[in-house]
């Protein structure tokens, strides 16, 4: 296709950012004996200029009698000037049911993690869904994530293997409940990747790492695919609840769909300017999940959250090692607490996840500790939604945080202490298991109003007295020592942090 034609069709694509190429047919394809049946192969080449649509669909006309479809692709990676994005192109596929938003025809996505995949009735490459290869028009999807000034040259090879299909295995999904300890604090990591997207660990390795980290629950959240939902058989147990979900990875930010129904796919093919996110946030909730924007100030291309927080249930304020983008997110989140305190909207609970992909990234760094009635999907989600949770860098850290009124009123993390504006309130934090050089900070709508060092023993109890007129809320942080000794005024990396306790009857 000529550059002028691509640009013309790109303009016609409009806000949807979609371009459909000429279909591939196999009437004159190369044919050879595939051992158990014949194969037919066809290769398509093309060029995409800078400014191409987000998604380029290559229709493939599939005849009857196909046992397996295999796809491989490559694209050029030219040298570009410093500060200029080079070529990066994702890939996936939809079947004969079509490419309409909502994902009815979705059969898999590997982003840029793989150069080839195959689908048959009995099996599929991780990231893709096994099932019959039915006759009709399938669509290989190219996602030119970034395009160099020279443009992007691509090659796509499609191979059809003919023969009788085997049976498609019935998927086995994780149970929605584990034994647990009744009403208790449960530790979990709900942003994790395996070989089913761009991770390097297998599900078995992630489950082992979760147990080693002292976790009670995890959520499998692959980029734009649900293939991992059926990959955990034999890996759950009385000690580990495995929830299913997805990291919905758009061009304007990523969002964790936490605890969606097994096998339910949520689409990602829209930008903030398309005004479509609210619709898909509702689909997450309809599938029983929570909507949690991930690493809102992440520095990778497409990682910054551009959709706003009106449709969110919580926000991931701490992603992996605590870095400056997490600091920005925590401060932004605290500003929303101030707005909620003055009646300008609801507050969003804070959570933290490891986003671990591979060694040496640590599963459970950080982890969200949730007060739940039992170890089940519903109870964990209820605890997060209510803000009854805090975040720690490891299971070695334990923490309790409460506010007590003069007449015996009591409130814990995420709750409201219903006292008069001038009634004295005692705020108490107990922490253990932290390293030397750490410090406690109590933060209110006025900022930090109390701080103290943690002894080298790693355990401390801090008390502070206030009133609801002086502090609309109070939350706790435990921080490592600043790398610069405090010269910049920027606190050190986070060790643990809580959601707020709200003060006052309102």
């Amino acid at each position: 296709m000529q550059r002028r034609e691509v640009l013309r069709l790109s303009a016609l694509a409009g806000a949807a950012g979609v371009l459909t190429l000429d279909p591939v047919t196999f009437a004159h394809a190369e044919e050879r004996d595939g051992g158990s049946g014949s194969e037919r192969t066809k290769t398509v080449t093309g060029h995409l200029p800078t400014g191409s649509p987000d998604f380029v669909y290559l229709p493939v006309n599939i005849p009857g009698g196909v046992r397996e479809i295999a796809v491989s692709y490559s694209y050029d990676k030219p040298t570009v000037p410093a500060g200029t994005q080079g070529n990066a192109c994702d890939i996936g596929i939809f079947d004969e049911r079509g490419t309409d938003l909502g994902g009815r025809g979705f059969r898999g996505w590997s982003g840029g993690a793989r150069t080839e995949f195959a689908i048959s009735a009995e099996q599929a490459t991780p990231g893709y869904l096994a099932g019959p290869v039915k006759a009709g028009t399938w669509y290989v999807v190219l996602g030119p994530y970034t395009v160099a000034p020279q443009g992007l040259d691509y090659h796509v090879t499609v191979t059809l293997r003919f023969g009788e299909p085997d049976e498609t295995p019935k998927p086995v999904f994780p149970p929605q409940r584990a034994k647990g300890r009744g009403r208790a604090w449960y530790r979990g990591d709900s942003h994790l990747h395996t070989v089913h997207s761009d991770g390097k660990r297998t599900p078995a390795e992630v489950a082992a790492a979760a147990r080693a980290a002292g976790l009670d629950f995890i959520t499998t959240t692959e980029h734009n695919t649900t293939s991992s939902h059926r990959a955990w058989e034999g890996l759950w147990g009385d000690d580990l609840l495995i929830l299913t979900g997805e990291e919905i990875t758009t061009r304007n930010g990523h969002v964790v769909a936490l605890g969606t129904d097994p096998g339910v796919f949520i689409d990602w093919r829209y930008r903030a300017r398309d005004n479509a996110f609210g619709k898909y946030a509702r689909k997450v909730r309809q599938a029983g999940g929570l909507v949690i924007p991930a690493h809102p100030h992440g520095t990778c291309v497409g990682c910054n959250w551009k959709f706003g927080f009106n449709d969110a249930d919580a926000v991931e304020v701490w992603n992996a090692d605590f870095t400056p983008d997490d600091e920005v997110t925590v401060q932004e989140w605290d500003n929303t607490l101030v707005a909620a305190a003055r009646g300008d909207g609801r507050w969003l609970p804070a959570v933290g996840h490891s986003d671990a992909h591979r060694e040496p990234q640590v599963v459970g760094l950080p982890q969200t500790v949730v007060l739940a009635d039992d170890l089940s999907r519903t109870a964990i989600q209820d605890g997060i939604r209510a803000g009854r949770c805090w975040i720690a860098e490891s299971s070695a850290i334990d923490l309790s945080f409460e506010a007590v009124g003069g007449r015996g009123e009591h409130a814990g993390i995420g709750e409201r202490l219903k006292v008069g504006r001038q009634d004295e309130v005692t705020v108490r934090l107990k922490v253990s298991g932290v390293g030397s050089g750490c410090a406690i900070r109590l933060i209110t709508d006025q900022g930090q109003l109390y701080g103290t060092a943690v002894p080298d023993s790693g355990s401390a109890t801090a008390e502070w007295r206030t009133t609801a007129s002086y502090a609309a809320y109070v939350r706790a942080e435990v921080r490592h020592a600043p790398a610069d000794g405090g010269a910049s005024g920027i606190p050190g990396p986070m060790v643990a942090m809580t959601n707020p306790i709200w003060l006052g009857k309102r």
Side-chain angles (χ1 to χ4, degrees):
M1 181 176 290
Q2 297 297 314
R3 174 184 174 87
R4 180 179 300 172
E5 181 67 2
V6 169
L7 290 175
R8 183 185 71 81
L9 292 174
S10 298
L12 291 175
V18 168
L19 170 65
T20 301
L21 303 175
D22 293 334
V24 176
T25 61
F26 282 80
H28 304 290
E30 177 187 349
E31 184 171 353
R32 59 184 181 274
D33 184 359
S36 61
S38 63
E39 293 184 354
R40 295 182 187 174
T41 296
K42 200 155 192 179
T43 298
V44 175
T45 63
H47 177 85
L48 298 174
T50 302
S52 293
D54 289 345
F55 302 103
V56 177
Y57 294 126
L58 175 62
V60 180
N61 293 329
I62 305 291
V66 173
R67 176 179 57 83
E68 181 179 72
I69 179 171
V71 178
S72 63
Y73 83 121
S74 63
Y75 57 91
D76 65 324
K77 298 179 181 179
T79 301
V80 296
T84 302
Q85 294 291 337
N87 284 337
C89 188
D90 295 343
I91 196 167
I93 195 167
F94 286 74
D95 65 21
E96 82 287 346
R97 292 170 292 179
T99 62
D100 290 345
L101 285 174
R104 187 164 177 266
F106 176 77
R107 291 298 293 271
W109 184 257
S110 50
R114 300 183 185 277
T115 59
E116 59 186 6
F117 62 85
I119 297 172
S120 66
E122 64 272 21
Q123 62 186 359
T125 302
Y128 295 82
L129 305 180
V133 182
K134 294 183 178 180
T137 301
W138 288 49
Y139 296 85
V140 174
V141 186
L142 297 178
Y145 214 75
T146 58
V147 180
Q150 303 95 313
L152 184 151
D153 294 327
Y154 63 85
H155 292 71
V156 178
T157 298
V158 180
T159 298
L160 304 183
R161 299 187 175 107
F162 293 80
E164 289 295 321
D166 289 336
E167 291 291 323
T168 300
K170 183 178 180 180
V172 178
F173 296 126
Q176 305 294 299
R177 180 185 299 272
K179 184 177 180 180
R181 304 180 297 278
R183 184 171 175 83
W185 291 94
Y186 293 100
R187 296 174 180 266
D189 188 350
S190 291
H191 187 171
L192 292 163
H193 297 278
T194 72
V195 294
H196 284 262
S197 59
D198 59 344
K200 296 298 184 183
R201 293 182 174 104
T202 64
E205 289 169 334
V206 168
R211 288 183 165 97
L215 301 182
D216 300 295
F217 69 92
I218 60 174
T219 307
T220 174
T221 55
E222 308 295 356
H223 294 285
N224 300 339
T225 184
T226 59
S227 70
S228 68
H229 290 189
R230 60 190 72 190
W232 299 86
E233 186 174 2
L235 298 177
W236 57 79
D238 288 346
D239 63 329
L240 185 64
L241 174 69
I242 300 176
L243 304 180
T244 53
E246 180 183 342
E247 184 173 6
I248 306 164
T249 307
T250 79
R251 297 298 180 86
N252 285 154
H254 304 182
V255 58
V256 169
L258 191 161
T260 46
D261 293 333
V264 173
F265 165 76
I266 308 296
D267 218 310
W268 76 99
R269 292 170 294 163
Y270 41 83
R271 289 185 182 238
R273 66 191 181 208
D274 300 324
N275 197 29
F277 178 69
K279 173 182 177 180
Y280 292 98
R282 289 190 295 274
K283 288 185 177 295
V284 171
R285 294 192 187 94
Q286 288 165 2
L290 300 182
V291 178
I292 304 179
H295 44 67
H297 291 280
T299 56
C300 59
V301 174
C303 289
N304 294 113
W305 185 248
K306 304 295 186 185
F307 295 94
F309 296 96
N310 289 340
D311 293 298
D313 295 306
V315 58
E316 184 186 87
V317 303
W318 181 354
N319 176 278
D321 295 312
F322 196 84
T323 55
D325 60 288
D326 298 307
E327 189 70 61
V328 171
T329 302
V330 169
Q331 300 309 318
E332 178 186 55
W333 168 73
D334 188 77
N335 287 342
T336 68
L337 300 182
V338 175
R342 65 173 183 255
D344 294 344
R346 62 192 179 93
W347 73 283
L348 290 179
V351 296
H353 305 130
S354 74
D355 197 5
H357 286 66
R358 60 187 63 83
E359 298 294 345
Q361 296 167 356
V362 179
V363 173
L365 171 58
Q367 54 196 250
T368 300
V369 190
V370 184
L371 179 59
D373 289 337
D374 55 41
L375 187 53
S376 67
R377 175 174 79 158
T378 299
I380 293 295
Q381 290 175 324
D382 287 346
I384 293 172
R385 193 182 290 110
R388 298 192 302 266
C389 50
W390 56 279
I391 312 169
E393 65 178 1
S394 80
S395 59
I397 298 164
D398 200 8
L399 175 155
S400 66
F401 187 50
E402 63 179 358
V404 180
R407 298 179 180 178
E409 305 95 334
H410 177 275
I413 298 169
E415 298 176 339
R416 176 173 290 277
L417 186 68
K418 296 181 178 180
V419 294
R421 287 178 54 80
Q422 302 304 325
D423 292 346
E424 185 175 271
V425 172
T426 300
V427 178
R428 184 178 297 111
L429 174 72
K430 293 183 180 180
V431 64
S432 63
V434 305
S436 61
C438 294
I440 289 170
R441 309 171 75 218
L442 298 184
I443 313 295
T444 76
D445 51 318
Q446 297 187 65
Q448 180 179 338
L449 292 182
Y450 176 86
T452 188
V454 178
D456 289 343
S457 66
S459 299
T461 298
E463 284 192 358
W464 177 63
R465 288 177 172 79
T466 187
T467 64
S469 63
Y470 190 53
Y473 64 85
V474 59
R475 62 181 183 84
E477 294 181 353
V478 182
R479 298 270 192 157
H480 290 288
D484 62 0
S488 66
I490 299 174
M494 199 75 73
V495 178
M497 62 175 285
T498 74
N499 277 290
I501 298 174
W502 299 89
L503 306 180
K505 294 183 178 180
R506 179 189 160 276

